[in-house]
Amino acid sequence: MLDHITALRERFDQALAKADTPPELEELRVAFLGKKGHVSSLMKGMKALSNEEKKAFGLRVNEWKEGVEQALAAAKRRMEEAEIDRLIHGAKPYDITLPAVPPLAAAARGSYSPITLVQREVERVFVSMGFTVEDYPEITDDYSCFQALNIPEHHPARDMQDTYYLSNGQLLKTHTSAAQNAIMRKYGAPLKAIFPGRCFRNEATDACHENTFFQMEGMMIDESISISNLIYFMKTMLSEVFRKDIRVRLRPGFFPFVEPGFELDISCLICGGAGCPSCKGGGWLELCPCGMIHPNVLRMGGIDPERYTGFAFGLGLTRLAMMKYGVSDIRDFNSCDLKKLSQFIAE
Ligand code: DAH
């Protein structure tokens, strides 16, 4: 039996000397220390021995077993250290003073969405005219999105905004006007604020309709605000953003929260007014519905309509980005197609 141990020890030592990868070490461990390995079969062989012999033999087997465990652990450590050494010293040398490869550098830096760019542009213009920029959540409730805007339940105007309702009764805001009530309550009158935001409607999509789009709402409330104030601010904003003369037209429009209400259209910049899919062939694009805030809306916002008047507008930011950058299909914005979306730069 003792000869048996000596023979196995030699076998182990030879195999260990040859093993130079962690899987080979593991194979060795299983062969010697595993359930059906050499050590356990030595132990099984002890049954036939006398008690005296068992004691002496068991001691030797255990000694050797410990030796095997230690040798395996030491070999594993050596292999790990060699691997670390290889990673540190064996890697290709590099020069940190060299510039990054240009295409990689450009890709890593990223770029702004054209919508962010126009949003900032419009914000800059309005901030310079004394407006504050407000934030408002994308999830809101029926009261803020409709009722506080003079659109009671069952009002037909709701049909124009096919709404995504959530199972808890809340909804995804269909227009930035949903923030009007909260902002009137926050500041009272006088007030000058713009509030950009993402809006959602269950729309059939085409070149000029998307289910997810951006608007920029604005409100100015003070004593004796009139339609001429509205026209002045709209014209200033558009000429600043486009940096050229833009043809606009104002025609009557109906929105329950304004009285009177208007549609402000701009001549389509994609086709120059001749008519194309982006403007549904009409040559004009509805860009900014607007109007004088309805007295009911002021009242629900806690503002006295006898004393104050105001205008509001809902600028289509996504449409503005299309016009400004000549994007002919609104669906490109949500396409995640970086080839199309990463080529815009701020002016
Ligand atoms: N919220 C309206 C929409 O998305 C647009 C709108 C119309 C906003 C008139 C206004 C406004 O502030 O005065 O359809």
Side-chain angles (χ1 to χ4, degrees):
M1 283 297 284
L2 290 179
D3 289 352
H4 204 163
I5 297 185
T6 316
L8 279 174
R9 170 176 291 158
E10 264 167 32
R11 242 167 95 180
F12 175 78
D13 290 347
Q14 279 168 10
L16 184 64
K18 276 194 213 137
D20 44 22
T21 65
E24 282 168 2
L25 268 193
E26 177 59 13
E27 225 173 84
L28 207 54
R29 189 193 64 76
V30 173
F32 281 82
L33 300 176
K35 257 193 201 152
K36 291 182 186 153
H38 298 302
V39 172
S40 69
S41 52
L42 274 181
M43 297 287 201
K44 276 181 201 140
M46 278 165 50
K47 274 187 215 147
L49 300 178
S50 69
N51 278 353
E52 272 303 288
E53 287 170 326
K54 262 187 198 157
K55 215 170 164 189
F57 185 75
L59 216 67
R60 293 285 300 278
V61 174
N62 269 333
E63 253 173 41
W64 177 58
K65 187 183 163 203
E66 270 170 32
V68 166
E69 282 166 351
Q70 281 167 13
L72 284 172
K76 194 172 168 213
R77 235 184 354 263
R78 269 199 311 280
M79 283 178 193
E80 284 167 357
E81 280 165 10
E83 175 65 6
I84 291 171
D85 196 57
R86 192 185 65 77
L87 286 176
I88 295 175
H89 301 294
K92 246 172 79 196
Y94 70 101
D95 180 353
I96 54 165
T97 64
L98 286 178
V101 186
L104 260 185
R109 199 164 56 234
S111 62
Y112 288 109
S113 155
I115 297 185
T116 307
L117 295 176
V118 281
Q119 177 182 327
R120 290 187 176 172
E121 187 81 26
V122 177
E123 282 176 6
R124 185 186 59 77
V125 179
F126 277 101
V127 166
S128 76
M129 298 191 287
F131 285 69
T132 60
V133 184
E134 301 292 323
D135 205 9
Y136 187 75
E138 289 173 349
I139 294 177
T140 184
D141 54 25
D142 192 274
Y143 178 78
S144 307
C145 199
F146 300 119
Q147 295 166 41
L149 291 165
N150 213 21
I151 311 176
E153 245 175 294
H154 310 302
H155 192 288
R158 290 192 179 210
D159 293 348
M160 295 193 300
Q161 305 191 359
D162 203 348
T163 310
Y164 290 111
Y165 288 95
L166 307 182
S167 49
N168 65 359
Q170 290 185 297
L171 49 90
L172 299 184
K173 76 169 179 248
T174 54
H175 53 176
T176 41
S177 311
Q180 282 195 12
N181 187 264
I183 290 167
M184 282 187 226
R185 295 224 160 256
K186 181 171 169 193
Y187 291 108
L191 126 76
K192 269 161 114 180
I194 51 169
F195 25 112
R198 185 158 55 166
C199 306
F200 307 86
R201 288 184 203 177
N202 189 11
E203 294 267 3
T205 59
D206 60 28
C208 54
H209 290 92
E210 247 297 8
N211 50 28
T212 306
F213 53 94
F214 288 81
Q215 291 185 339
M216 163 91 74
E217 191 90 359
M219 277 192 303
M220 178 170 182
I221 302 173
D222 207 335
E223 289 177 3
S224 63
I225 295 291
S226 70
I227 297 172
S228 17
N229 295 108
L230 168 64
I231 295 172
Y232 168 80
F233 280 101
M234 290 297 101
K235 275 199 161 158
T236 309
M237 185 273 295
L238 288 172
S239 63
E240 287 265 336
V241 169
F242 287 103
R243 287 168 205 207
K244 61 174 169 180
D245 265 348
I246 301 291
R247 280 199 299 152
V248 297
R249 73 176 186 193
L250 209 58
R251 57 196 167 87
F254 173 73
F255 302 93
F257 35 98
V258 280
E259 179 58 41
F262 306 101
E263 290 282 4
L264 187 142
D265 301 340
I266 65 169
S267 170
C268 178
L269 298 175
I270 306 262
C271 61
C276 68
S278 306
C279 56
K280 290 190 246 169
W284 291 94
L285 224 97
E286 287 175 17
L287 185 67
C288 188
C290 50
M292 300 304 293
I293 303 174
H294 196 288
N296 287 351
V297 175
L298 287 173
R299 210 172 287 118
M300 281 185 273
I303 293 174
D304 178 6
E306 301 297 326
R307 180 164 170 207
Y308 293 103
T309 49
F311 66 77
F313 62 87
L315 178 66
L317 261 194
T318 303
R319 289 228 171 134
L320 188 58
M322 289 173 80
M323 290 296 105
K324 178 155 167 105
Y325 292 109
V327 177
S328 56
D329 194 320
I330 193 172
R331 291 165 292 194
D332 286 346
F333 292 115
N334 291 345
S335 68
C336 297
D337 183 346
L338 289 183
K339 256 197 262 164
K340 288 178 184 155
L341 293 173
S342 60
Q343 50 187 283
F344 303 95
I345 43 164
E347 278 168 25

